[in-house]
Amino acid sequence: QKEVEQNSGPLSVPEGAIASLNCTYSDRGSQSFFWYRQYSGKSPELIMSIYSNGDKEDGRFTAQLNKASQYVSLLIRDSQPSDSATYLCAVSSGSGNTGKLIFGQGTTLQVKP
Amino acid sequence: EADIYQTPRYLVIGTGKKITLECSQTMGHDKMYWYQQDPGMELHLIHYSYGVNSTEKGDLSSESTVSRIRTEHFPLTLESARPSHTSQYLCASSEFKTGTRTFGSGTRLTVV
């Protein structure tokens, strides 16, 4: 079992729809959770970080964390073609700068105009 | 503006050559990392550093070596490049409080 698992996709949604990206992790001691966006041929860039159970909203993006279920998700509202990219879930066993950061394989999102 | 820089952006080199991939950051971060990523695959940590004169191997075995003589500089060296080293190499640094990684633009290495 991989430490951080994501469905590789592609996930295809029409423009304006809500895209839902999911991630599960195996280490119950994980404390920090991140979503990165990576355009083809580019480096990852941070979209959201979340540290406690519940929802965290930033513009069109909402991260959801459920530690009991070892599940973290990213919702993208009003999806735009420019959101088409691979979304990487990353999980850290430590807080702050401690602990390993493990990346999932990523989910490719395609937003069709 | 604080940033993290990698050079070269693209490199095509012959088998057996020695290469150094450069990484510098002006973020003021102590911790720096090298990741390797093949197309469509996960990022794999190959080296990291907590600070000057501190280097550690990551999860993925790599024939590369790193050095950290200055806080802002973390170069990666391959003594003898092979086709199996063809990949994208990403340098990153992290903020102490959150551990958030900031990535450089990457070096896409092709060994022929």
Side-chain angles (χ1 to χ4, degrees), chain B residues 12-88:
Chain B
V12 180
I13 200 162
T15 298
K17 298 291 186 183
K18 177 180 179 179
I19 59 170
T20 296
L21 308 185
E22 299 288 347
C23 177
S24 294
Q25 53 101 359
T26 57
M27 313 283 286
H29 293 162
D30 286 327
K31 208 162 180 180
M32 296 187 72
Y33 313 83
W34 277 102
Y35 291 88
Q36 185 174 341
Q37 185 183 34
D38 292 324
M41 303 299 288
E42 300 100 322
L43 280 83
H44 290 288
L45 181 67
I46 52 175
H47 298 283
Y48 63 98
S49 167
Y50 288 108
V52 171
N53 294 326
S54 158
T55 61
E56 303 285 345
K57 289 190 179 295
D59 302 320
L60 182 68
S61 175
S62 174
E63 293 167 346
S64 59
T65 59
V66 292
S67 62
R68 190 90 182 275
I69 298 172
R70 303 197 316 267
T71 300
E72 63 273 17
H73 193 215
F74 191 40
L76 181 147
T77 299
L78 275 166
E79 291 292 334
S80 180
R82 294 209 299 268
S84 61
H85 296 139
T86 295
S87 188
Q88 173 159 253

Side-chain angles (χ1 to χ4, degrees), chain A residues 8-44:
Chain A
S8 61
L11 172 66
S12 183
V13 300
E15 183 175 356
I18 296 174
S20 178
L21 306 163
N22 304 315
C23 172
T24 58
Y25 59 94
S26 61
D27 184 357
R28 283 196 168 276
S30 299
Q31 298 185 38
S32 306
F33 307 85
F34 306 88
W35 282 100
Y36 285 83
R37 177 176 62 200
Q38 187 174 25
Y39 291 111
S40 180
K42 303 293 187 183
S43 58

Side-chain angles (χ1 to χ4, degrees), chain A:
Chain A
Q1 182 189 5
K2 289 186 176 181
E3 293 179 79
V4 178
E5 294 213 48
Q6 296 180 255
N7 187 326
S8 61
L11 172 66
S12 183
V13 300
E15 183 175 356
I18 296 174
S20 178
L21 306 163
N22 304 315
C23 172
T24 58
Y25 59 94
S26 61
D27 184 357
R28 283 196 168 276
S30 299
Q31 298 185 38
S32 306
F33 307 85
F34 306 88
W35 282 100
Y36 285 83
R37 177 176 62 200
Q38 187 174 25
Y39 291 111
S40 180
K42 303 293 187 183
S43 58
E45 54 180 335
L46 181 72
I47 299 175
M48 297 277 290
S49 58
I50 187 166
Y51 306 100
S52 55
N53 279 329
D55 295 1
K56 179 181 178 183
E57 187 174 320
D58 184 0
R60 295 186 297 111
F61 299 96
T62 299
Q64 299 175 318
L65 176 61
N66 184 326
K67 290 186 178 180
S69 299
Q70 295 173 245
Y71 175 94
V72 59
S73 65
L74 179 71
L75 300 178
I76 307 174
R77 289 181 300 281
D78 188 23
S79 296
Q80 302 296 310
S82 58
D83 294 327
S84 298
T86 296
Y87 289 80
L88 306 174
C89 173
V91 177
S92 175
S93 57
S95 59
N97 222 358
T98 63
K100 291 170 49 175
L101 186 66
I102 307 296
F103 285 86
Q105 187 174 352
T107 297
T108 299
L109 173 66
Q110 296 174 347
V111 181
K112 296 190 181 298

